[in-house]
Amino acid sequence: MKNAAYYNGTISTIEEIRIPLEDRAVYFGDGVYDVAFCHNGKPFLIDEHFDRFYNSCRLIRIDFPYTREELRNIIGELISRLDDREDVLIYWQASRGTAPRNHPFPKDARANLLVYVKPKKITKLDEPMKLCTVDDIRYEMCNVKTINLIPNILAAQTAVDRGCDEAVQIRRRLFEDDGTEYRDVITEGAHTNISVLKDGVFVTAPLGRFILPGIARKHLIELCRANGIEVLERYITRGELMDADEVLVSSTTTLVRRACEIDGKPVGGRDTELFDRLQRLYIDKLDRDCM
Ligand code: PDD
């Protein structure tokens, strides 16, 4: 098959699969999702994606009825049906269930599971990205990987409108749990995490309510620590972003790339050696884990 999709026990193609009108994903975007990558037929870091997915379900109180092994088997079954398994994107989402439109949780509804897999090449690793900045207008549950992505979609479209590859979201004001206030700080991209290299240190926004705990971000941190590169998890300002030695964009399907321009001004390009090293470490990890 060119691609394969699953919905509540039915397997077909992405084009053919049907979901009911009253799936709460349709009316409310009432669900969560995750995206993983599969290389040489082997899902990469899949258990960490499962951890995040089950945590997303918990945080929005979806009682997800499939065990991790059931989910793993469904994904494996879909991948096995593909003609081309070399590089594959794995998408899955759970919605709260199917019920007439009504805001509170439906009683006795069972969560719906939608999964699809399709070939996807990771490209342009050597190409620096053009970024633009946008206001981060999202709510305070950005750690939940919800399918409700309107602000992210608007940010991504703004990037396209401005001839850019990705948008960097900036919170005008945020309060951490301990009451600390930050102004005009970088949170993350529309669909990626943003980090910088400055004076040999990897700096990235802290985990919490204002960013998605990216799996690529986590592994970049681990690779830095294992290779003697200092890591700081703290917010940076727009000024620090523009003044960074390198600006890094990471995600499951981007891996890690550097930026060369933000809002039309040149950025980065001052520590390509460290960037190249980090990117190589990450690609090597992918190759090693998916041998
Ligand atoms: N996006 N931040 C946001 C808002 C994201 O949507 C993503 C991933 C990331 C990076 O997370 P990870 O390294 O785990 O992919 C950060 C996925 C790929 C998507 O929505 O398609």
Side-chain angles (χ1 to χ4, degrees), residues 33 35 52 145 152 188 190-193 212 214-216 251-252:
Y33 75 106
V35 177
R52 181 171 68 188
K145 204 160 170 55
N152 306 62
E188 60 183 337
H191 46 87
T192 58
N193 287 109
L212 184 81
I215 311 288
S251 80
T252 296

Side-chain angles (χ1 to χ4, degrees), residues 19 24 61 110 113 125 138 195 198 242 252:
I19 72 166
R24 283 173 67 97
R61 297 164 59 192
R110 186 177 195 266
L113 173 62
L125 280 167
R138 296 174 301 164
S195 312
K198 183 69 184 174
M242 301 306 292
T252 296

Side-chain angles (χ1 to χ4, degrees), residues 33-36 49 52 89 91 138 142 145 149 152 166 169 188-194 211-218 250-255 282:
Y33 75 106
D34 221 293
V35 177
H49 288 275
R52 181 171 68 188
L89 181 136
Y91 177 94
R138 296 174 301 164
C142 302
K145 204 160 170 55
L149 284 169
N152 306 62
E166 170 64 318
Q169 303 187 82
E188 60 183 337
H191 46 87
T192 58
N193 287 109
I194 303 291
I211 67 162
L212 184 81
I215 311 288
R217 170 193 177 280
K218 174 172 180 252
S250 67
S251 80
T252 296
T253 48
T254 310
L255 300 188
Y282 200 71

Side-chain angles (χ1 to χ4, degrees), residues 31-198:
V32 293
Y33 75 106
D34 221 293
V35 177
F37 187 63
C38 169
H39 186 49
N40 296 331
K42 303 205 176 101
F44 181 49
L45 304 172
I46 194 76
D47 278 289
E48 290 169 55
H49 288 275
F50 288 161
D51 288 344
R52 181 171 68 188
F53 175 73
Y54 280 92
N55 194 45
S56 289
C57 287
R58 185 182 63 80
L59 289 169
I60 72 160
R61 297 164 59 192
I62 284 182
D63 185 12
F64 186 64
Y66 297 75
T67 65
R68 201 179 261 256
E69 288 323 303
E70 285 167 337
L71 183 55
R72 195 191 306 276
N73 289 341
I74 292 165
I75 290 170
E77 171 66 32
L78 295 187
I79 292 171
S80 75
R81 295 189 184 215
L82 291 179
D83 304 329
D84 176 2
R85 286 189 280 277
E86 190 171 285
D87 292 302
V88 175
L89 181 136
I90 309 167
Y91 177 94
W92 68 98
Q93 72 174 45
S95 76
R96 196 178 304 281
T98 304
R101 186 177 182 279
N102 192 22
H103 286 66
F105 300 172
K107 285 204 176 60
D108 308 323
R110 186 177 195 266
N112 296 313
L113 173 62
L114 170 70
V115 189
Y116 71 75
V117 298
K118 64 174 183 186
K120 160 99 184 162
K121 291 281 172 217
I122 291 176
T123 55
K124 302 185 182 170
L125 280 167
D126 295 335
E127 234 176 78
M129 296 171 75
K130 290 185 181 173
L131 311 179
C132 65
T133 57
V134 298
D135 278 346
D136 189 342
I137 57 167
R138 296 174 301 164
Y139 66 161
E140 296 200 358
M141 288 167 67
C142 302
N143 51 327
V144 178
K145 204 160 170 55
T146 166
I147 58 175
N148 216 306
L149 284 169
I150 296 299
N152 306 62
I153 287 164
L154 293 174
Q157 185 56 38
T158 299
V160 171
D161 294 344
R162 296 184 189 164
C164 294
D165 305 299
E166 170 64 318
V168 179
Q169 303 187 82
I170 303 189
R171 282 256 177 193
R172 283 175 185 260
R173 203 166 175 216
L174 69 81
F175 290 95
E176 280 295 11
D177 289 340
D178 65 1
T180 313
E181 180 185 350
Y182 295 88
R183 282 178 186 264
D184 290 318
V185 288
I186 313 306
T187 49
E188 60 183 337
H191 46 87
T192 58
N193 287 109
I194 303 291
S195 312
V196 299
L197 296 175
K198 183 69 184 174

